[in-house]
């Protein structure tokens, strides 16, 4: 099982994607399965750290928080862009954080969340010191950002992955 | 455009609102790319198009083609998933490249950049990120 299908979830999702992109037929099912298996084998050779999901129930909660936060920051960044770059009501800057999350997949998800949120850009992560550098478009105070990321995302991600 | 008359008017209006809102966000993001001052600020502008811009257009497209073809059309979700997992790679590469430029070469500084490492490593020369101690 593990030799033949090293990444069952990934392969299943790839078959599903193949069938969604094409019309369902036996031929497409076979072709999609071959592609999915081949992708699973090649991923196995990359040796990623295998995600172990501890609490599935936290995932919808995290998704809801993220969708809501992205909506809010869309509105605030749109406001900043409409006001123009010289408006005194906001200033941008770098924020440096210390993360407790060390699990690679969790960090990848956090990077996706912070990149997808307008107004925050993940710039650099130092794995040795778990030190993260962000750039924030509408900066209010650095302490707020540390608390926001720790309480809203990091805690949930640690519940899910660690 | 030829299929629009097949849609119920309420749905057509809703879909139009979604698509117009989504593309306005994309337009605003592109405007921001021109108007903002520094490279790091400019990194933020396209995320408007990338987050809710894409989401709204995808929702509009899914609703429209599901109604016209009278079956759930969901493969737009895959577009969204690919956007989500690929865009951070480009943004991260651009961001780190410009951090490195601003720190090492002292070429055109956009903003004052925080140093790469803190006090403990201050003595070491600024090494590329991959050159961790072996």
């Amino acid at each position: 099982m593990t030799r033949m299908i090293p990444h069952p979830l990934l392969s299943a999702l790839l078959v599903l994607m193949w069938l969604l992109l094409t019309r369902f037929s036996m031929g497409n099912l076979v072709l999609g399965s071959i592609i999915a298996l081949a992708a699973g084998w090649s991923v196995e050779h990359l040796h990623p750290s295998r995600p172990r999901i501890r609490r599935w129930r936290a995932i919808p909660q995290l998704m809801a928080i993220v969708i809501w936060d992205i909506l809010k920051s869309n509105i605030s960044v749109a406001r900043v862009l409409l006001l123009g770059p010289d408006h005194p009501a906001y200033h941008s800057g770098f924020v440096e954080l210390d993360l407790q999350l060390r699990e690679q997949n969790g960090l990848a998800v956090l990077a996706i969340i912070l990149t997808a949120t307008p107004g925050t850009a993940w710039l650099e992560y130092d794995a040795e010191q778990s030190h993260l550098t962000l750039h924030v478009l509408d900066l209010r105070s650095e302490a707020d950002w540390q608390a926001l990321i720790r309480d809203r995302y990091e805690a949930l991600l640690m519940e899910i992955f660690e | 455009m030829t299929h629009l008359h097949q849609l119920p008017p309420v749905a057509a209006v809703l879909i139009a609102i979604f698509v117009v809102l989504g593309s306005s966000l994309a337009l605003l993001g592109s405007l921001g790319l021109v108007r903002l001052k520094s490279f790091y600020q400019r990194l933020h502008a396209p995320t408007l198009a990338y987050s809710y811009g894409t989401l709204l257009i995808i929702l509009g497209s899914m609703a429209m083609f599901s109604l016209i073809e009278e079956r759930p059309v969901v493969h737009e979700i895959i577009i969204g998933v690919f956007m989500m997992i690929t865009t951070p790679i480009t943004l991260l590469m651009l961001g780190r490249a410009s951090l490195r430029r601003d720190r090492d070469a002292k070429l055109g500084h956009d903003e004052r950049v925080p140093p790469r490492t803190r006090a403990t490593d201050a003595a070491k020369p600024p090494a590329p990120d991959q050159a961790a101690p072996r």
Side-chain angles (χ1 to χ4, degrees), chain B residues 34-97:
Chain B
V34 178
R35 287 182 77 187
L36 288 177
K37 289 288 164 62
S38 81
F39 177 82
Y40 303 101
Q41 291 182 353
R42 288 193 171 119
L43 276 181
H44 299 293
T47 45
L48 280 180
Y50 152 58
S51 54
Y52 267 69
T54 315
L55 181 74
L56 289 169
I57 293 172
I58 282 176
L59 285 178
S61 164
M62 276 167 62
M64 171 153 167
F65 287 101
S66 300
L67 284 171
I68 285 178
E69 297 187 18
E70 291 177 336
R71 66 184 178 96
V73 176
V74 288
H75 55 240
E76 284 91 342
I77 291 177
I78 295 172
I79 301 176
V81 170
F82 277 128
M83 293 277 291
M84 272 195 60
I85 59 181
T86 53
T87 311
I89 299 170
T90 328
L91 276 173
L92 257 149
M93 273 176 57
L94 287 172
R96 295 187 61 172

Side-chain angles (χ1 to χ4, degrees), chain A residues 83-139:
Chain A
L83 289 177
D86 299 319
H87 201 275
Y90 79 99
H91 69 284
S92 65
F94 295 89
V95 176
E96 297 186 72
L97 303 173
D98 287 313
L99 293 181
Q100 269 132 42
L101 181 72
R102 308 222 165 204
E103 210 277 330
Q104 285 185 12
N105 297 288
L107 285 169
V109 175
L110 186 63
I112 290 180
I113 293 172
L114 291 180
T115 315
T117 309
T120 55
W122 172 295
L123 285 180
E124 189 174 61
Y125 175 69
D126 181 352
E128 274 172 52
Q129 304 183 22
S130 29
H131 188 65
L132 171 68
T133 308
L134 291 176
H135 188 267
V136 178
L137 184 60
D138 192 1
L139 188 66

Side-chain angles (χ1 to χ4, degrees), chain A residues 34-61:
Chain A
I34 292 171
I35 290 172
L37 282 180
W41 292 328
S42 33
V43 167
E44 184 66 9
H45 285 287
L46 292 172
H47 301 293
S49 80
R50 197 171 274 272
R52 275 175 316 199
I53 294 183
R54 294 281 162 83
R55 271 196 56 202
W56 290 89
R57 274 185 302 165
I59 295 177
Q61 194 189 345

Side-chain angles (χ1 to χ4, degrees), chain B residues 3 11 29-30 32 53:
Chain B
H3 299 296
S30 322

